[in-house]
């Protein structure tokens, strides 16, 4: 039986997944990005300083990651020396965006795969938000509409969390999480100018100075976010993990892990990072080399040459190409598929053991769940790694804000060279993000982005080998082939963003 799961909801953009099921097992899966955008084409010929502004429009969820990657690439191309404040403000802006994004993903995009929204009908209290939610769910259910109004219903049939109190608590947090996300976004906008699409991020810094009152406001918003993460997000995540332990075994991708590392601890982008970069394969971590990355297009709707290195990237759309089933390219590292994202970030760091907080948190939570760390490659593993990232980043941001020095420059002087090139690599919330810029005659001659969801949701490569999400789906069991809630839980654990993936 072949089923189109698309358009998959509770993710950004247009993703279809075609599954083939035999005897309740997914025996084949195809990830299909269903639109073309072309940022790399229309950036050509523009002023290089447009890049960190324009590439942010790739996405409304992770715009700052694009601005930061673009900034790092330009810093290398301009041979800039970044002032300490510049890097710190970049970190403050980008880190707050990660916190917002993890809460958005857990509560709004995934929790309702596990939490039973109908438990609200049992609610006896007088919290006005929950009373409103109870009335809404009751009305929708009684109306017997085929398609009740989103976001809480309709839903796939399956086993949901049974504990009424936990369900109602998580629904309350679902609503509160939106207020907290607002605070994290306000924090990043203090220095970023606005969210989404920062007006102030600039190569090597930020046009907003770190003033004493702004630093204090930033810290107070991050502290509120941190408390929510610690007291509500992490306990809810653990409650889901406790109720669905089988998901430590479900959704394992079948390749290595790639992380570029996140949040430089010194002024230059290649300074040591809070989360270390690396390629993890069979328990060994090796340094990342950008020239080992290529993008295959045999099964993507492009007629440009396949297997090109990033600096030679090319994009010729070909919507009718035979065999092709996606607008997403297939990036590969030394010809191999890798997973990127929270599990990659945490596992790559954990295996290097530099960040003791990451090590302690991984060991603590793995001990609580009774799992070995290789089980972080799973549906629950990806959720837990987001939670660990959130805890570590929130603590770091509170200290990092203290390191900003009022009255000192937050932006370098720069001159655009007539020729130059640069790579900029960071971790967006969804994983490894790489930008490449080449400048000729002071204009952009080439711009390439290799984006997290492009890795995770890639189609087959030139050798016919599947992408990370495809590999995680194949072999999984589904109780009801027409519903496939298990497949949707796997898909959501990767948090795909299709706007980014096709860029
Ligand atoms: Ni559009 Fe993005 C992806 C993240 S790109 S959300 O994929 O996180 O950086």
């Amino acid at each position: 039986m072949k089923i189109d799961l698309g358009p998959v909801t509770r993710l950004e953009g247009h993703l279809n997944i075609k599954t083939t099921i035999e005897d309740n097992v997914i025996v084949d899966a195809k990830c299909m990005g269903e639109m073309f955008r072309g940022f790399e084409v229309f950036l050509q010929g523009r002023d290089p300083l447009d890049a960190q502004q324009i590439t942010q429009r790739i996405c409304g969820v992770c715009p700052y990651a694009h601005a930061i990657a673009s900034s790092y690439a330009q810093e290398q191309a301009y041979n800039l020396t970044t002032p300490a404040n510049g890097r710190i403000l970049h970190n403050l802006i980008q880190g707050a965006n990660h916190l917002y994004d993890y809460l958005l993903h857990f509560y709004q995009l995934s929790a309702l795969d596990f939490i039973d929204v109908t438990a609200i009908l049992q609610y006896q209290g007088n919290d006005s938000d929950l009373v409103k939610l109870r009335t809404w769910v009751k009305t929708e259910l009684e109306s017997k509409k085929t398609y009740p109004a989103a976001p809480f219903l309709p839903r796939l049939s399956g086993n949901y969390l049974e504990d009424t109190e936990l369900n109602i608590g998580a629904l309350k947090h679902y609503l509160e999480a939106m207020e907290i996300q607002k605070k994290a976004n306000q924090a990043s906008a203090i220095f970023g100018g606005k969210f989404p699409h920062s007006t102030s991020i600039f190569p090597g810094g930020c046009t907003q100075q770190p003033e004493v009152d702004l630093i204090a406001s930033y810290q107070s918003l991050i502290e509120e976010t941190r408390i929510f993460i610690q007291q509500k997000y992490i306990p809810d995540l653990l409650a889901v993990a406790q109720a669905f332990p089988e998901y430590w075994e479900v959704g394992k991708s079948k390749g290595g892990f790639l992380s570029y590392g996140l949040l430089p601890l010194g002024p230059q982008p290649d300074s040591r990072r809070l989360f270390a970069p690396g390629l993890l394969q069979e328990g060994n971590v090796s340094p990342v080399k950008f020239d080992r990355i290529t993008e295959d297009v045999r099964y993507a709707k492009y007629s440009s040459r396949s297997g090109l290195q990033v600096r030679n990237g090319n994009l010729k759309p070909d919507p009718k190409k035979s065999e092709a089933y996606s607008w997403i390219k297939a990036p590969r590292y030394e010809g191999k598929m890798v997973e990127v994202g929270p599990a990659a970030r945490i596992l790559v760091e954990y295996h290097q053991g530099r960040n003791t907080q990451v090590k302690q948190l991984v060991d603590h939570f793995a001990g609580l769940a009774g799992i070995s760390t290789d089980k972080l490659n799973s549906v629950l593993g990806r959720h837990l790694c987001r939670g660990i990232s959130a805890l570590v980043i929130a603590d770091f941001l509170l200290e990092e804000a203290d390191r900003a020095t009022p009255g000192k420059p937050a932006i370098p002087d720069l001159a655009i060279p007539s020729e130059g090139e640069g790579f900029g690599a960071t971790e967006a919330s969804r994983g490894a993000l790489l930008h490449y810029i080449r400048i000729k005659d002071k204009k952009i001659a080439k711009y390439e982005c290799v984006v997290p969801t492009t890795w995770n949701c890639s189609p087959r490569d030139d050798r016919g080998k599947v992408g990370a999400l495809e590999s995680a789906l194949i072999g999984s069991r589904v109780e009801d082939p027409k519903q496939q809630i298990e497949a949707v839980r796997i898909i959501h654990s990767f948090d795909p963003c299709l706007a980014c993936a096709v860029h």
Side-chain angles (χ1 to χ4, degrees), residues 59 62 66 428-430 433 451-453 497 500:
C59 185
C62 67
H66 287 287
S429 319
R430 287 159 198 74
L433 174 65
V451 180
T453 301
C497 171
C500 278

Side-chain angles (χ1 to χ4, degrees), residues 135-204:
T135 311
W136 189 89
V137 169
K138 192 162 179 283
T139 316
E140 288 296 321
L141 286 174
E142 284 171 357
S143 75
K144 302 224 179 332
K145 283 187 237 157
T146 317
Y147 296 108
F152 297 104
L153 295 165
R155 63 178 185 173
L156 297 169
S157 59
N159 57 332
Y160 288 90
L161 189 66
E162 283 173 4
D163 185 314
T164 306
E165 211 173 305
L166 279 177
N167 277 317
I168 293 174
L171 290 168
K172 172 79 178 148
H173 301 159
Y174 177 108
L175 302 171
E176 285 174 20
M178 289 191 275
E179 291 304 311
I180 297 294
Q181 287 162 44
K182 214 172 5 173
K183 290 183 194 290
N185 285 338
Q186 280 166 355
S188 44
I190 286 176
F191 301 112
K194 68 183 192 48
F195 180 87
H197 307 137
S198 163
T199 45
S200 78
I201 297 174
F202 203 72

Side-chain angles (χ1 to χ4, degrees), residues 164-284:
T164 306
E165 211 173 305
L166 279 177
N167 277 317
I168 293 174
L171 290 168
K172 172 79 178 148
H173 301 159
Y174 177 108
L175 302 171
E176 285 174 20
M178 289 191 275
E179 291 304 311
I180 297 294
Q181 287 162 44
K182 214 172 5 173
K183 290 183 194 290
N185 285 338
Q186 280 166 355
S188 44
I190 286 176
F191 301 112
K194 68 183 192 48
F195 180 87
H197 307 137
S198 163
T199 45
S200 78
I201 297 174
F202 203 72
C206 178
T207 54
Q208 174 62 55
Q209 288 284 319
E211 289 154 14
V212 175
D213 54 336
L214 299 184
I215 295 170
S217 307
Y218 178 91
Q219 285 174 315
S220 117
L221 290 162
I222 294 296
E223 176 61 8
E224 276 187 81
T225 311
R226 192 189 68 81
I227 290 170
F228 183 88
I229 290 167
Q230 210 173 46
Q231 298 184 354
K232 301 190 174 163
Y233 169 33
I234 298 291
D236 285 344
L237 203 164
L238 295 177
V240 166
Q242 206 177 7
F244 296 87
E246 64 276 21
Y247 279 87
W248 293 114
E249 305 291 337
V250 174
K252 176 177 162 57
S253 74
K254 322 257 179 350
F257 292 96
L258 173 71
S259 165
Y260 294 144
L262 176 64
L263 301 169
L265 304 176
Q268 297 308 323
D270 59 3
S271 311
R272 197 179 142 187
R273 295 187 177 192
L274 181 68
F275 298 85
L279 173 77
L280 174 65
Q281 282 173 316
E282 287 159 18
N284 297 314

Side-chain angles (χ1 to χ4, degrees), residues 256-262 273-280 285-290 333 338-349 352 425-428 431-433 455:
F257 292 96
L258 173 71
S259 165
Y260 294 144
L262 176 64
R273 295 187 177 192
L274 181 68
F275 298 85
L279 173 77
L280 174 65
V285 181
S286 49
V288 179
K289 306 254 195 279
F290 301 136
Y333 194 95
V338 292
E339 173 176 339
V340 303
R345 184 177 317 128
I346 294 297
L347 282 168
V348 163
E349 171 53 58
Q352 298 179 81
T426 186
E427 286 283 296
L433 174 65
W455 286 99

Side-chain angles (χ1 to χ4, degrees), residues 1 3 5 19 21-26 155-159 247 476-489:
M1 177 190 287
I3 304 245
L5 294 178
T19 54
I21 316 272
E22 283 173 14
D23 298 331
N24 292 71
V25 173
I26 300 176
R155 63 178 185 173
L156 297 169
S157 59
N159 57 332
Y247 279 87
S476 299
R477 253 197 93 70
V478 293
E479 278 312 312
D480 177 353
K482 294 224 168 95
Q483 296 277 317
Q484 296 189 43
I485 189 169
E486 301 86 351
V488 171
R489 285 168 176 161

